[in-house]
Amino acid sequence: MKHVKTWLPFGLSGAAAGIVNGLFGAGGGMVLLPLLIHWGKLEDKRAFASSIAIILPLCVVSLVVYGLEGQLPLAPALPYLAGGLLGGLLGGLLFRRVPPQLLHRVFGAVIVWGGLRLLL
């Protein structure tokens, strides 16, 4: 039973990230990152990197479900894909050089900015 208690918060964290990612097409990492730090006791940079590794398969699952439901308009997404790939490469290369405290601040600012844009 101890094994279940140990894994339960992690499983619930993953489920929360998956639900958010599936509903909104993104955002699972915003849920997952603080939980990886709090429940997983991961060091900040490890939590950021782990979040990416966890979100990738969740995005693939969401992609398949959206595609099977006929809700995957690829043509409008293609122009963003090239920039996103370039940005992901640049962000990945810069990741080692950015202090964890700055990562937290930028991450928080992006969440606040996105939230305000959706509300206003």
Side-chain angles (χ1 to χ4, degrees), residues 62-77:
S62 296
L63 176 75
V64 169
V65 171
Y66 277 49
L68 291 174
E69 293 290 324
Q71 299 295 321
L72 194 62
L74 287 177

Side-chain angles (χ1 to χ4, degrees), residues 89-106:
L89 177 64
L90 181 61
L93 292 172
L94 289 173
F95 180 73
R96 280 185 270 142
R97 294 182 174 93
V98 178
Q101 193 170 23
L102 181 58
L103 283 174
H104 277 280
R105 288 193 173 126
V106 171

